[in-house]
Structures are given as C-alpha cells and as structure tokens.
Amino acid sequence: MHTFFRILGGVTLAWACATTASAGTPAEQLNALAAQAGRSPNPAQGQQFFNAQHGREWSCASCHSALPTGDGKHASTGKPMGPLAPAFNPERFTDPAKSEKWFRRNCNDVLARACTAAEKADVLAWLISLKR
C-alpha cells in the first residue's frame, strides 16, 4: 500500500509538471509552432494569410476583423468575441490546448483542412506583433 501512494505521488507530480510546462505564453506557443514548422515565423505572411480567403466564403478576418485588436463577432451566428491579438486581450494564447482547439475549428471553417504549423506560427507571430 505504501508503494501505491509513492507511485501515485510521483504520477501526480509528473502531471503537475507537464501541466505547468504546457501552460504557455503566446511567445512560448509561437516558439513551439516554429519548432514544429522547422522555420522562423513570418508575421507579414501571417497577416496576409489571416485576411485572405482560401477558396471558401470566409477568412479569419470575417469574424475577427482585418485588424484583430478590437472586438469581433462570428460571421454566421453573430456571437460577440473579444480581441484576438494578445496585447489587447491577455487571455488569448495562454492555454495551448485551447489555442489548438480554436485553430482546428477555425482552420476547418476557413480552409476546409487543418492549418500547418507554419501557417499557425505566421498568424500568431503577426498577432503578437500588434501592440497598443
């Protein structure tokens, strides 16, 4: 029984460390995406990607506006949303799992496919570059 609690404590500690390590800042998430992409992010390409339509009706800007430093609203439902740029909404890009969830959903809506790590890194680099 003593061994059981020792193992449980070790598993709990490992989970806590993993959770802390994955709780990233926007810059940490950008670094992780750039590492996955195997290249440095390009903010100018991110801006172009964000504002372009990719063969479908919507672009990222359809909901977040061309300059995502202010509020946006969902193009279909009209649901309001806060600014996407981290300098204007400090809650953005602080949870890697949440960021990935929204990239997955929104890339599917805009591109009808998953975004590549390079595309996500470029967009995030541009969003981080937007300052007050």
Side-chain angles (χ1 to χ4, degrees), residues 68-106:
T69 57
D71 291 338
K73 70 177 181 179
H74 193 272
S76 177
T77 66
K79 180 182 174 187
M81 57 185 76
L84 187 58
F88 296 83
N89 186 346
E91 293 180 16
R92 295 289 189 177
F93 300 99
T94 57
D95 179 346
K98 193 173 179 179
S99 299
E100 189 54 37
K101 177 184 92 173
W102 286 109
F103 268 128
R104 185 175 47 252
R105 286 185 186 179
N106 294 341

Side-chain angles (χ1 to χ4, degrees), residues 3 11 14 36 38 44 49 57 62 71 74 95 100 104 115-116:
T3 303
V11 169
Q36 287 175 18
F49 182 89
E57 183 180 348
S62 298
D71 291 338
H74 193 272
D95 179 346
E100 189 54 37
R104 185 175 47 252
C115 290
T116 66

Side-chain angles (χ1 to χ4, degrees), residues 7 9 30 38 42 49 60 63 68 74 77 85 89 92 122-123:
I7 292 171
L30 177 59
N42 183 324
F49 182 89
C60 304
C63 299
H74 193 272
T77 66
N89 186 346
R92 295 289 189 177
D122 290 346
V123 168

